[in-house]
Amino acid sequence: MKLRLNPIVKKDLQVTARSMRLSWGLFAYEAVLTMIFLLALALIEMANDSIYSDGNIYSSFIYLFPSLAAAQICIIGLIVPIITASSISGEKERQTFDIMLTTCMSPFSIVFGKVVSAVLRILFFVVAGMPVMALAFVVGGLGWINLFYFVLAVILFSVFSGSIGILCSSFCRKSITAVVLSFVFYFIIFFLTFLPALIRSLLDVYSAGESLLFLLFNPIVFFEEFFLLIMRGESAFGGEGFMFYRDDVGFVTYYLSQGKVWIFTSAICILGMSILFMLVAAWKVNPMNTYSYKRSKKKKGL
């Protein structure tokens, strides 16, 4: 059976592969990761030379992984919304949006293809950064399965960022407006998920309760739990006093913080939110839902 590839994904990958910007982008990506790797090594060596160090520098190499991983996550968080935020609005600016809608592809296929093409382009960078990441795993003593988990987490975050970008792009006519709106949407989501816990802390300073469950939708908390689980085997919620004690959280929050339950639950919540954003974007892209179409249909009915 022949595998059928989304036409938008196929076209975007062909255009990307023929562009020199991909090569220069990979070069810049590798250079940034290498600089961060060397900087992290220098900081580890300086910390080891301090009077408070135990003299075992090899135990500190494990911190190379979160340093490089956080750098990649920040880069991806900046690049993906820019790519997807100009996908639909860019078609409108080039006056090719109506032509794209005349194809046999459904609006969701168009939106999904734009997001998938952005995720695949990001995977080029992630795969290119594997040799530098491998150095952190070799000298840091982490298992290779953790690198596989990190790639899955990056894919999830790319889909989340891409869904925000495509949502803003479907509502905007200018690419620059869609890009700015995407980053504003970023901060709104990050702030709103922390808002219930903040309000609860102001009302009751002794317990956060189940208000922390909203943090399941926060990618920052997701990666924080991911790094804590890999490096220390503990959770920030109801763990051994890293951020919250057992009595500071509710029963459900404490149960989700055991083992990998929080990570998988948060991944499902973030993926569900991403699918919702893409569905809303597909609804907006659908020409049958536009105001002009409904108005003309109403006039014909009259």
Side-chain angles (χ1 to χ4, degrees):
M1 184 176 65
K2 186 177 180 180
L3 183 63
R4 187 176 180 181
L5 188 64
N6 190 300
I8 291 181
V9 177
K10 184 178 180 180
K11 187 262 294 182
D12 289 346
L13 291 181
Q14 288 177 346
V15 172
T16 302
R18 296 169 182 173
S19 176
M20 280 298 296
R21 288 187 298 179
L22 177 63
S23 301
W24 287 110
L26 290 174
F27 174 77
Y29 186 79
E30 292 283 356
V32 171
L33 283 185
T34 304
M35 291 175 59
I36 294 174
F37 180 81
L38 296 176
L39 179 61
L41 279 179
L43 293 177
I44 290 174
E45 185 177 358
M46 290 174 59
N48 187 70
D49 293 337
S50 65
I51 59 176
Y52 301 101
S53 175
D54 57 358
N56 185 12
I57 191 173
Y58 294 102
S59 62
S60 303
F61 281 147
I62 193 174
Y63 294 103
L64 290 173
F65 167 64
S67 301
L68 294 174
Q72 293 192 72
I73 293 169
C74 292
I75 294 174
I76 291 170
L78 291 174
I79 292 178
V80 175
I82 295 176
I83 295 175
T84 54
S86 60
S87 55
I88 302 298
S89 57
E91 298 286 349
K92 296 177 182 178
E93 290 177 338
R94 294 188 295 270
Q95 297 182 353
T96 57
F97 180 69
D98 293 335
I99 299 177
M100 183 177 61
L101 293 178
T102 59
T103 62
C104 59
M105 297 181 62
S106 64
F108 185 79
S109 298
I110 295 174
V111 170
F112 184 74
K114 294 289 186 181
V115 174
V116 171
S117 62
V119 172
L120 291 178
R121 275 185 278 181
I122 288 301
L123 284 179
F124 290 156
F125 294 90
V126 175
V127 173
M130 284 298 179
V132 183
M133 292 290 294
L135 291 175
F137 277 79
V138 170
V139 299
L142 292 173
W144 291 104
I145 189 64
N146 295 326
L147 183 60
F148 174 73
Y149 289 150
F150 173 71
V151 174
L152 293 181
V154 166
I155 294 175
L156 175 65
F157 183 61
S158 301
V159 173
F160 172 74
S161 302
S163 64
I164 292 179
I166 201 71
L167 176 65
C168 297
S169 182
S170 63
F171 280 90
C172 299
R173 291 188 173 274
K174 299 292 183 179
S175 297
I176 185 63
T177 306
V179 171
V180 174
L181 185 61
S182 298
F183 289 107
V184 172
F185 212 87
Y186 255 143
F187 291 109
I188 289 176
I189 292 177
F190 295 152
F191 175 74
L192 287 181
T193 51
F194 274 106
L195 186 60
L198 181 61
I199 295 176
R200 181 61 185 267
S201 64
L202 295 176
L203 298 177
D204 185 3
V205 295
Y206 299 103
S207 175
E210 304 296 355
S211 60
L212 297 175
L213 292 177
F214 289 94
L215 297 178
L216 289 169
F217 297 91
N218 195 313
I220 296 179
V221 179
F222 169 79
F223 280 106
E224 180 190 22
E225 284 287 295
F226 178 77
F227 293 139
L228 282 176
L229 187 62
I230 288 179
M231 299 176 61
R232 299 186 180 182
E234 61 185 25
S235 172
F237 307 102
E240 299 180 0
F242 185 80
M243 283 183 61
F244 299 95
Y245 291 96
R246 168 65 184 89
D247 298 333
D248 294 337
V249 299
F251 173 78
V252 179
T253 304
Y254 180 76
Y255 174 76
L256 291 177
S257 66
Q258 304 303 305
K260 301 178 181 178
V261 182
W262 181 279
I263 296 295
F264 289 115
T265 307
S266 181
I268 293 174
C269 293
I270 294 174
L271 182 61
M273 188 166 50
S274 304
I275 295 175
L276 177 62
F277 290 160
M278 286 188 284
L279 289 174
V280 174
W283 177 86
K284 181 62 178 177
V285 168
N286 192 343
M288 299 182 66
N289 296 322
T290 58
Y291 175 76
S292 58
Y293 176 81
K294 291 181 179 180
R295 188 176 181 181
S296 62
K297 187 177 181 180
K298 186 177 180 180
K299 286 184 177 180
K300 289 180 180 179
L302 293 176

